[in-house]
Amino acid sequence: GESVGLHLPTLSVQEGDNSIINCAYSNSASDYFIWYKQESGKGPQFIIDIRSNMDKRQGQRVTVLLNKTVKHLSLQIAATQPGDSAVYFCAERGNSWGKLQFGAGTQVVVTP
Amino acid sequence: ETGVTQTPRHLVMGMTNKKSLKCEQHLGHNAMYWYKQSAKKPLELMFVYNFKEQTENNSVPSRFSPECPNSSHLFLHLHTLQPEDSALYLCASSQDIENQPQHFGDGTRLSIL
């Protein structure tokens, strides 16, 4: 079956640096991708999404990049802050009626 | 602040008990979802409702029974659960199943004794 790949690695980032979190996907027909942030004791919080007809989308301090050629999605966080410490995970959707398939997540730890 | 509210936040129950999880969304959405989240595993979709109609049952055991009386409320009725059912149960909603993103509640932490 199709899968979205994150194996819960840990990314340690110094406060003020930029963070890059990566996600590999395997379904070339996926039309929609989304990033979530989950803090301890809370539910996933929507960060940013992107459709397959785009390759870049920017939000507040965050940028999502989509490379359909190599089936790769990344989330860039500018000027990482202590409040950015959380698990980040991506999800893909196979088609407009398809369910989201989630990766396991990356733990981001911001150090002072 | 979340527009999706789940109660209770924590639940401990024995294997023979019957309990229900409740989810309410205040976002005017028409699709609602139940997910199971176990440690270090991807979110597992359980059920999907679109305009109060169930559109997805992801091979969930019958000891989990969903109910969607209207577009704002979703329940998960639990009966005769197993220890491996201990997990965080998350509710989400979206405009409808075509229009994302999904917005999540903070979940119910369920422990089966």
Side-chain angles (χ1 to χ4, degrees), chain A residues 8 36 38 41 43 93 99, chain B residues 9 37 40 98 102 106:
Chain A
L8 208 55
Y36 285 96
Q38 188 172 21
R93 186 179 70 180
K99 55 191 178 184
Chain B
R9 291 297 313 278
Q37 187 176 38
K40 297 185 180 180
E98 271 195 88
Q102 294 174 28
D106 286 333

Side-chain angles (χ1 to χ4, degrees), chain A residues 33-107:
Chain A
F33 304 85
I34 188 168
W35 281 99
Y36 285 96
K37 170 187 179 183
Q38 188 172 21
E39 297 175 88
S40 180
K42 294 188 176 181
Q45 177 187 354
F46 167 73
I47 302 173
I48 192 167
D49 56 4
I50 188 168
R51 300 194 180 277
S52 58
N53 60 353
M54 303 172 68
D55 53 20
K56 180 179 179 179
R57 193 166 186 223
Q58 288 185 290
Q60 188 176 10
R61 280 202 308 120
V62 295
T63 301
V64 56
L65 298 176
L66 176 62
N67 186 331
K68 294 181 286 293
T69 302
V70 295
K71 295 197 282 289
H72 184 266
L73 186 73
S74 68
L75 178 70
Q76 300 178 1
I77 305 173
T80 310
Q81 302 169 359
D84 295 327
S85 293
V87 174
Y88 290 80
F89 50 90
C90 68
E92 65 172 323
R93 186 179 70 180
N95 55 59
S96 63
W97 292 97
K99 55 191 178 184
L100 291 178
Q101 286 196 293
F102 290 83
T106 295
Q107 177 76 57

Side-chain angles (χ1 to χ4, degrees), chain B residues 47-68:
Chain B
F47 302 103
V48 182
Y49 280 82
N50 196 43
F51 293 94
K52 300 191 297 179
E53 298 296 319
Q54 186 175 288
T55 59
E56 181 87 27
N57 177 337
N58 201 27
S59 303
V60 181
S62 60
R63 57 186 185 268
F64 295 92
S65 174
E67 179 190 0
C68 187

Side-chain angles (χ1 to χ4, degrees), chain B residues 11-55:
Chain B
L11 179 62
V12 179
M13 58 187 286
M15 289 191 284
T16 58
N17 292 157
K18 288 184 182 181
K19 295 287 184 183
S20 296
L21 310 185
K22 179 182 176 181
C23 177
E24 182 176 2
Q25 58 93 3
H26 312 277
L27 301 169
H29 289 166
N30 295 299
M32 297 188 77
Y33 311 76
W34 278 118
Y35 287 89
K36 176 183 179 182
Q37 187 176 38
S38 303
K40 297 185 180 180
K41 291 175 67 175
L43 285 175
E44 299 174 50
L45 179 66
M46 300 175 71
F47 302 103
V48 182
Y49 280 82
N50 196 43
F51 293 94
K52 300 191 297 179
E53 298 296 319
Q54 186 175 288
T55 59

